[in-house]
Amino acid sequence: EIVMTQSPATLSVSPGERATLSCRASQSVSSNLAWYQQKPGQAPRLLIYGASTRATGIPARFSGSGSGTEFTLTISSLQSEDFAVYYCQQYNNWPLYTFGQGTKLEIK
Amino acid sequence: EVQLVESGGGLVQPGGSLRLSCAASGFTFSSYWMSWVRQAPGKGLEWVANIKQDGSEKYYVDSVKGRFTISRDNAKNSLYLQMNSLRAEDTAVYYCARVAGTTRGFDYWGQGTLVTVSS
């Protein structure tokens, strides 16, 4: 089983600043990684797939990078609507999936 | 507009059974892999099961193998999850999700249905 580990568990950032979230895989997942955003009481939303490709309708301030075992989600200038929980997910082991435990992005 | 609407959740006793449904609309349901993902209260996301377009392949997370069965009815544009021998640790919001055609991420999600296993 591929284990996905996200850090930090909670990240406090001020609006307008940059946020950097990390995701590490226990073994290489190539670029088969997605990022999701989840707000309270809502279903998750796909942000990034293929480690770096933004999904349809996702603002350019969201960017993903990395390959192999180390990945990063960067939000360049935080807007109020960006404060949420973010999950990474590997699908290199398709059709089996694994999610990270999530990073809560909160207002500083 | 793509829509996924889950139903069938509720309160069930340990050892009991429940069948979840997901009604799909706004896309060609029979062309996509579909999945169930769950989220225990206050916890993270856990993938539960996948099913191929024609139902010929099914995959499960180890914790539900032998207890849960994923199925679909393409004529009714519906996805199902039959859950047997339910345990307290199965308590969660269950989401159905569409697997994106080539990227394998989940590009559309339902709003979820809550399953509570408790005596």
Side-chain angles (χ1 to χ4, degrees), chain A residues 5 11 15 19 34 38 42-43 48 52 60 69 75 78 82 97 99 108:
Chain A
T5 303
L11 182 61
Q38 187 179 33
Q42 297 185 14
I48 301 284
S52 61
T69 62
I75 311 170
L78 280 165
D82 299 335
Y97 292 98
F99 287 94
K108 186 175 183 180

mmCIF file of all heavy atoms in Angstrom, chain A residues 5 11 15 19 34 38 42-43 48 52 60 69 75 78 82 97 99 108:
data_model
loop_
_atom_site.group_PDB
_atom_site.id
_atom_site.type_symbol
_atom_site.label_atom_id
_atom_site.label_comp_id
_atom_site.label_asym_id
_atom_site.label_seq_id
_atom_site.Cartn_x
_atom_site.Cartn_y
_atom_site.Cartn_z
ATOM 1 N N THR A 5 1.605 11.112 2.977
ATOM 2 C CA THR A 5 1.757 11.893 4.203
ATOM 3 C C THR A 5 1.796 13.373 3.867
ATOM 4 O O THR A 5 2.649 13.814 3.093
ATOM 5 C CB THR A 5 3.041 11.499 4.940
ATOM 6 O OG1 THR A 5 3.013 10.087 5.223
ATOM 7 C CG2 THR A 5 3.171 12.265 6.243
ATOM 8 N N LEU A 11 -1.930 24.793 8.712
ATOM 9 C CA LEU A 11 -1.097 25.884 8.224
ATOM 10 C C LEU A 11 -1.861 27.188 8.411
ATOM 11 O O LEU A 11 -2.995 27.305 7.921
ATOM 12 C CB LEU A 11 -0.754 25.667 6.755
ATOM 13 C CG LEU A 11 0.154 26.687 6.077
ATOM 14 C CD1 LEU A 11 1.518 26.726 6.750
ATOM 15 C CD2 LEU A 11 0.300 26.362 4.586
ATOM 16 N N PRO A 15 -4.391 36.341 4.622
ATOM 17 C CA PRO A 15 -4.885 36.605 3.276
ATOM 18 C C PRO A 15 -3.885 37.439 2.485
ATOM 19 O O PRO A 15 -3.245 38.352 3.012
ATOM 20 C CB PRO A 15 -6.183 37.369 3.526
ATOM 21 C CG PRO A 15 -6.631 36.917 4.870
ATOM 22 C CD PRO A 15 -5.359 36.708 5.666
ATOM 23 N N ALA A 19 0.775 30.296 0.302
ATOM 24 C CA ALA A 19 0.699 29.077 1.113
ATOM 25 C C ALA A 19 1.340 27.926 0.344
ATOM 26 O O ALA A 19 1.115 27.774 -0.866
ATOM 27 C CB ALA A 19 -0.750 28.737 1.425
ATOM 28 N N ALA A 34 -3.144 13.884 -7.450
ATOM 29 C CA ALA A 34 -4.167 14.916 -7.522
ATOM 30 C C ALA A 34 -4.268 15.645 -6.185
ATOM 31 O O ALA A 34 -3.895 15.102 -5.143
ATOM 32 C CB ALA A 34 -5.521 14.294 -7.871
ATOM 33 N N GLN A 38 -11.525 20.889 0.175
ATOM 34 C CA GLN A 38 -12.820 20.610 0.789
ATOM 35 C C GLN A 38 -13.147 21.678 1.829
ATOM 36 O O GLN A 38 -12.368 21.925 2.749
ATOM 37 C CB GLN A 38 -12.841 19.229 1.451
ATOM 38 C CG GLN A 38 -14.241 18.850 1.952
ATOM 39 C CD GLN A 38 -14.290 17.483 2.593
ATOM 40 O OE1 GLN A 38 -13.337 17.034 3.225
ATOM 41 N NE2 GLN A 38 -15.424 16.791 2.450
ATOM 42 N N GLN A 42 -19.148 20.497 2.577
ATOM 43 C CA GLN A 42 -19.178 20.332 1.127
ATOM 44 C C GLN A 42 -18.384 19.107 0.703
ATOM 45 O O GLN A 42 -17.523 18.614 1.431
ATOM 46 C CB GLN A 42 -18.606 21.572 0.432
ATOM 47 C CG GLN A 42 -19.395 22.846 0.667
ATOM 48 C CD GLN A 42 -18.851 24.001 -0.153
ATOM 49 O OE1 GLN A 42 -18.063 23.830 -1.090
ATOM 50 N NE2 GLN A 42 -19.273 25.208 0.198
ATOM 51 N N ALA A 43 -18.675 18.651 -0.509
ATOM 52 C CA ALA A 43 -17.878 17.597 -1.105
ATOM 53 C C ALA A 43 -16.529 18.159 -1.545
ATOM 54 O O ALA A 43 -16.401 19.363 -1.779
ATOM 55 C CB ALA A 43 -18.611 17.008 -2.311
ATOM 56 N N ILE A 48 -6.114 19.908 -8.901
ATOM 57 C CA ILE A 48 -4.924 19.607 -9.681
ATOM 58 C C ILE A 48 -4.902 18.113 -9.974
ATOM 59 O O ILE A 48 -5.228 17.297 -9.104
ATOM 60 C CB ILE A 48 -3.635 19.960 -8.901
ATOM 61 C CG1 ILE A 48 -3.588 21.443 -8.532
ATOM 62 C CG2 ILE A 48 -2.381 19.520 -9.671
ATOM 63 C CD1 ILE A 48 -3.235 22.373 -9.655
ATOM 64 N N SER A 52 0.450 18.611 -11.690
ATOM 65 C CA SER A 52 0.651 20.031 -11.990
ATOM 66 C C SER A 52 -0.386 20.653 -12.914
ATOM 67 O O SER A 52 -0.285 21.840 -13.223
ATOM 68 C CB SER A 52 2.039 20.242 -12.608
ATOM 69 O OG SER A 52 2.150 19.510 -13.816
ATOM 70 N N ALA A 60 -5.699 30.431 -11.517
ATOM 71 C CA ALA A 60 -4.260 30.287 -11.770
ATOM 72 C C ALA A 60 -3.411 30.454 -10.517
ATOM 73 O O ALA A 60 -2.222 30.087 -10.529
ATOM 74 C CB ALA A 60 -3.828 31.291 -12.834
ATOM 75 N N THR A 69 8.157 11.124 -5.277
ATOM 76 C CA THR A 69 7.638 11.014 -3.912
ATOM 77 C C THR A 69 7.350 12.351 -3.238
ATOM 78 O O THR A 69 6.758 12.366 -2.161
ATOM 79 C CB THR A 69 8.599 10.219 -3.017
ATOM 80 O OG1 THR A 69 9.848 10.916 -2.947
ATOM 81 C CG2 THR A 69 8.835 8.805 -3.561
ATOM 82 N N ILE A 75 -0.503 28.041 -3.256
ATOM 83 C CA ILE A 75 -1.553 29.033 -3.516
ATOM 84 C C ILE A 75 -0.866 30.375 -3.407
ATOM 85 O O ILE A 75 -0.385 30.754 -2.329
ATOM 86 C CB ILE A 75 -2.715 28.908 -2.521
ATOM 87 C CG1 ILE A 75 -3.174 27.451 -2.423
ATOM 88 C CG2 ILE A 75 -3.883 29.802 -2.958
ATOM 89 C CD1 ILE A 75 -4.161 27.168 -1.309
ATOM 90 N N LEU A 78 -3.429 34.185 -1.145
ATOM 91 C CA LEU A 78 -4.616 33.575 -0.558
ATOM 92 C C LEU A 78 -5.819 34.517 -0.550
ATOM 93 O O LEU A 78 -5.727 35.666 -0.113
ATOM 94 C CB LEU A 78 -4.313 33.120 0.867
ATOM 95 C CG LEU A 78 -3.577 31.788 0.976
ATOM 96 C CD1 LEU A 78 -3.001 31.602 2.363
ATOM 97 C CD2 LEU A 78 -4.498 30.625 0.627
ATOM 98 N N ASP A 82 -10.201 30.504 -0.018
ATOM 99 C CA ASP A 82 -9.220 29.418 -0.124
ATOM 100 C C ASP A 82 -8.981 28.700 1.202
ATOM 101 O O ASP A 82 -8.310 27.661 1.228
ATOM 102 C CB ASP A 82 -7.883 29.950 -0.637
ATOM 103 C CG ASP A 82 -7.989 30.577 -2.013
ATOM 104 O OD1 ASP A 82 -8.921 30.205 -2.772
ATOM 105 O OD2 ASP A 82 -7.156 31.448 -2.327
ATOM 106 N N TYR A 97 -6.710 3.651 -4.917
ATOM 107 C CA TYR A 97 -6.346 5.024 -4.592
ATOM 108 C C TYR A 97 -5.943 5.129 -3.128
ATOM 109 O O TYR A 97 -6.410 4.362 -2.293
ATOM 110 C CB TYR A 97 -7.551 5.948 -4.776
ATOM 111 C CG TYR A 97 -8.048 6.165 -6.174
ATOM 112 C CD1 TYR A 97 -9.127 5.439 -6.672
ATOM 113 C CD2 TYR A 97 -7.480 7.137 -6.985
ATOM 114 C CE1 TYR A 97 -9.613 5.676 -7.945
ATOM 115 C CE2 TYR A 97 -7.974 7.383 -8.264
ATOM 116 C CZ TYR A 97 -9.033 6.652 -8.728
ATOM 117 O OH TYR A 97 -9.521 6.888 -9.987
ATOM 118 N N PHE A 99 -5.477 8.489 -0.217
ATOM 119 C CA PHE A 99 -5.466 9.904 0.093
ATOM 120 C C PHE A 99 -4.471 10.184 1.219
ATOM 121 O O PHE A 99 -4.221 9.323 2.074
ATOM 122 C CB PHE A 99 -6.845 10.358 0.584
ATOM 123 C CG PHE A 99 -7.905 10.445 -0.478
ATOM 124 C CD1 PHE A 99 -8.762 9.378 -0.704
ATOM 125 C CD2 PHE A 99 -8.050 11.595 -1.234
ATOM 126 C CE1 PHE A 99 -9.758 9.456 -1.669
ATOM 127 C CE2 PHE A 99 -9.046 11.689 -2.198
ATOM 128 C CZ PHE A 99 -9.897 10.617 -2.417
ATOM 129 N N LYS A 108 -4.623 33.296 9.478
ATOM 130 C CA LYS A 108 -3.737 33.743 10.550
ATOM 131 C C LYS A 108 -4.212 35.085 11.094
ATOM 132 O O LYS A 108 -4.547 35.981 10.299
ATOM 133 C CB LYS A 108 -2.312 33.878 10.025
ATOM 134 C CG LYS A 108 -1.279 34.202 11.087
ATOM 135 C CD LYS A 108 0.107 34.187 10.489
ATOM 136 C CE LYS A 108 1.159 34.447 11.542
ATOM 137 N NZ LYS A 108 2.520 34.437 10.962
#
